[in-house]
Amino acid sequence: MLMVTMSRMLSELLGVHEPTLARSIQDLERASWLQSVDVRLTAEIVTKVHGKTRALGLDPRDTNGRELYYALQDMVRLHDDFLVRLIGGSDAGDVEDLLPRIVHIAQRVRIPRQVWVIKHSVGKRLLRVHPPRRLMKSLGYRSLDSLLKREPIDVVFAAMRFLETPQWQRQFVQQYNRLQPSDFELRNVEVINLQGKKWEQAATDFIRSQHHNITHSKEMGSIIVLPLPVRRLPGITITVLPLLLHYINEIRLYSALFKLQQVKPNFGAIISETILHDPGNHVKVAGQGVHWRVVQQHFGKLSRLEQPELFEPHVQPEDLEWRSAEDILFHMEPALQFWQGMDFAGVVLDGRRISFNLMDVATNFINQLPFEQQVSYHLQRSLWNELHRRYISQPTLETHILRQLEQELVDSEMPLRSLVR
């Protein structure tokens, strides 16, 4: 049955003990002077799930978990066929034909792409201090010069994330402590499709562990599509294309964060800490850390006239502009409207969290994951973000957040001037 007790629903979807979540919500209510945000959010999720369940041809009052899960799989299969035709493909499982088409679309879809990232020359300087020897060995290069001559620096930085050890990566990123704003420049996000046996072999373990073939570098503004070790893989289009759009958003939100931090004397340390640990407490609300992602999405949905002057001149309105992957896909293929606004929607049935988030459903589909092994991490992150966003959209908490950000800038020892426009 899809009839779920509302008091438990959010905690089950988030994977948090109900008393812990209740305390967090009480604190947010006191800080915002607003009650029942969680109740309205829960009711909205229930309404969305029931509506989409009926759209799948099922009865919300009499549907078990497996029926719903596999109906979602059938829907994503249908929509994958639509996207395949849209990009000019004819066979939904032909990896060799579809991957270049997917990358081509991601490179050309009309969305903001400019980011503030480390200069290529600076990246090469960092590599000379701390060469990626495991990466060089894996790809068959005997010297760093040979590697940099034949492989784009954007590719090297992205590949280091899965070919070098965590210890090496920590040591490398610690060099960022010495970075200055002058080491950064404006570039467009690069989406690069890698091909060849050497990359296929190098990426095998990463693809198996992550259930997808995409890696990226926030600090270099690059997204790498790795070759798959199979020739046929139904679902590749509806899995890879939304992920590419998602990572473009991710790189842009960190770019905006880096821009905002450029006036601080510990700028390099902030970059290093962000890349290594991605702390989720960029601002505090009711004693709870709130990730920059939530702040960026909230202000990014405001009109240019509503944008706070605080962000200028360091962060421009276009830096905050944000559109979900589902919204972009819907405008490319109207049939995909089914997934619009469903990124934070789900239900718990038969002891399993069933996600309506397109990226979760596509991941489950392409990996042919059974009901018992389905993933839902995109749902959980989106739901946390949505819950916090609804509270900070209230004038009291919005003002509180802006004051925190303003105080950080005032406390900075550097003069408040535009280092980048």
Side-chain angles (χ1 to χ4, degrees):
M1 296 284 290
L2 288 181
M3 304 305 292
V4 180
T5 304
M6 284 192 178
S7 62
R8 299 198 327 265
M9 186 171 174
L10 282 184
S11 62
E12 290 179 337
L13 290 176
L14 291 168
V16 177
H17 290 302
E18 191 172 356
T20 302
L21 179 62
R23 285 193 295 271
S24 295
I25 289 174
Q26 287 172 3
D27 291 340
L28 288 167
E29 287 181 344
R30 283 194 292 267
S32 64
W33 300 346
L34 188 70
Q35 294 185 339
S36 303
V37 169
D38 59 316
V39 175
R40 288 191 291 272
L41 177 57
T42 303
E44 181 178 330
I45 292 172
V46 170
T47 299
K48 285 175 177 281
V49 168
H50 282 198
K52 298 303 182 182
T53 301
R54 284 188 287 269
L56 292 169
L58 300 173
D59 183 351
R61 298 167 299 178
D62 187 26
T63 295
N64 63 43
R66 282 176 173 77
E67 290 172 336
L68 180 59
Y69 177 73
Y70 289 109
L72 287 168
Q73 298 289 285
D74 289 339
M75 181 63 80
V76 89
R77 179 188 293 109
L78 175 65
H79 289 167
D80 181 56
D81 288 337
F82 291 162
L83 283 180
V84 169
R85 290 196 293 272
L86 177 70
I87 66 175
S90 58
D91 182 344
D94 189 338
V95 171
E96 185 177 0
D97 175 62
L98 292 175
L99 264 185
R101 295 180 184 275
I102 295 166
V103 172
H104 178 82
I105 291 292
Q107 290 170 332
R108 287 160 178 77
V109 64
R110 297 182 64 179
I111 55 176
R113 298 174 181 276
Q114 192 176 76
V115 288
W116 195 55
V117 288
I118 294 174
K119 293 177 179 177
H120 286 164
S121 59
V122 175
K124 291 178 181 179
R125 184 186 75 204
L126 296 171
L127 288 170
R128 294 190 187 284
V129 175
H130 202 62
R133 301 197 185 280
R134 282 174 62 98
L135 183 151
M136 291 161 56
K137 181 179 180 180
S138 177
L139 299 180
Y141 293 108
R142 295 185 178 182
S143 70
L144 181 63
D145 286 338
S146 180
L147 171 71
L148 294 177
K149 183 178 180 180
R150 292 170 175 79
E151 303 293 348
I153 184 72
D154 298 292
V155 171
V156 173
F157 264 71
M160 291 185 324
R161 293 190 57 178
F162 64 89
L163 287 175
E164 293 295 339
T165 65
Q167 180 182 9
W168 183 93
Q169 293 182 54
R170 284 193 299 272
Q171 293 172 348
F172 183 85
V173 173
Q174 283 168 0
Q175 295 183 96
Y176 296 179
N177 287 318
R178 297 187 292 274
L179 290 177
Q180 300 295 323
S182 58
D183 293 320
F184 284 65
E185 67 180 359
L186 292 171
R187 291 200 304 272
N188 285 338
V189 175
E190 289 284 340
V191 182
I192 303 170
N193 184 32
L194 293 183
Q195 297 175 314
K197 278 291 183 183
K198 67 178 181 181
W199 285 110
E200 184 177 315
Q201 294 169 355
T204 298
D205 290 342
F206 172 82
I207 293 171
R208 286 175 178 168
S209 65
Q210 299 298 312
H211 298 300
H212 63 74
N213 64 323
I214 301 172
T215 186
H216 73 294
S217 170
K218 300 178 182 70
E219 63 269 42
M220 292 299 285
S222 56
I223 304 171
I224 307 301
V225 180
L226 299 164
L228 290 163
V230 295
R231 297 294 169 258
R232 293 196 57 76
L233 192 60
I236 186 172
T237 303
I238 203 164
T239 303
V240 173
L241 185 53
L243 278 173
L244 290 177
L245 299 174
H246 165 76
Y247 281 121
I248 291 173
N249 269 338
E250 285 286 289
I251 291 173
R252 292 189 68 255
L253 81 88
Y254 284 99
S255 167
L257 175 63
F258 296 160
K259 277 189 171 186
L260 191 63
Q261 307 302 319
Q262 65 183 287
V263 299
K264 297 185 179 179
N266 61 335
F267 169 76
I270 293 171
I271 301 298
S272 175
E273 177 70 9
T274 299
I275 299 301
L276 284 175
H277 304 297
D278 192 22
N281 57 348
H282 296 102
V283 295
K284 290 277 189 179
V285 174
Q288 303 173 34
V290 177
H291 196 281
W292 170 252
R293 180 180 291 105
V294 179
V295 178
Q296 191 252 10
Q297 288 184 10
H298 167 64
F299 289 107
K301 290 184 176 181
L302 302 180
S303 70
R304 286 176 176 258
L305 294 177
E306 296 174 305
Q307 292 288 347
E309 294 182 2
L310 166 72
F311 292 117
E312 296 187 13
H314 319 291
V315 177
Q316 301 299 303
E318 56 266 24
D319 295 318
L320 299 173
E321 187 175 336
W322 184 88
R323 289 175 63 198
S324 71
E326 293 84 356
D327 286 345
I328 298 168
L329 288 173
F330 161 59
H331 286 285
M332 293 169 60
E333 170 49 72
L336 271 69
Q337 187 176 16
F338 178 89
W339 308 100
Q340 192 176 29
M342 297 300 291
D343 54 309
F344 58 86
V347 66
V348 176
L349 291 175
D350 300 333
R352 299 289 173 180
R353 187 184 301 110
I354 301 173
S355 173
F356 280 72
N357 184 296
L358 174 59
M359 288 188 288
D360 284 333
V361 180
T363 299
N364 291 326
F365 174 68
I366 196 171
N367 290 284
Q368 298 183 359
L369 297 179
F371 175 74
E372 294 78 11
Q373 297 176 19
Q374 62 184 285
V375 300
S376 57
Y377 41 80
H378 290 291
L379 158 67
Q380 289 179 284
R381 187 170 76 169
S382 295
L383 183 53
W384 268 120
N385 292 346
E386 183 66 19
L387 181 63
H388 277 134
R389 192 188 65 78
R390 293 194 179 201
Y391 279 106
I392 71 170
S393 65
Q394 304 309 309
T396 301
L397 289 189
E398 183 179 286
T399 301
H400 175 65
I401 287 172
L402 290 173
R403 284 176 178 168
Q404 287 185 62
L405 295 173
E406 182 179 28
Q407 188 61 47
E408 288 183 3
L409 295 178
V410 170
D411 290 343
S412 299
E413 296 176 2
M414 294 178 62
L416 294 182
R417 58 187 177 87
S418 174
L419 297 178
V420 94
R421 289 301 300 256

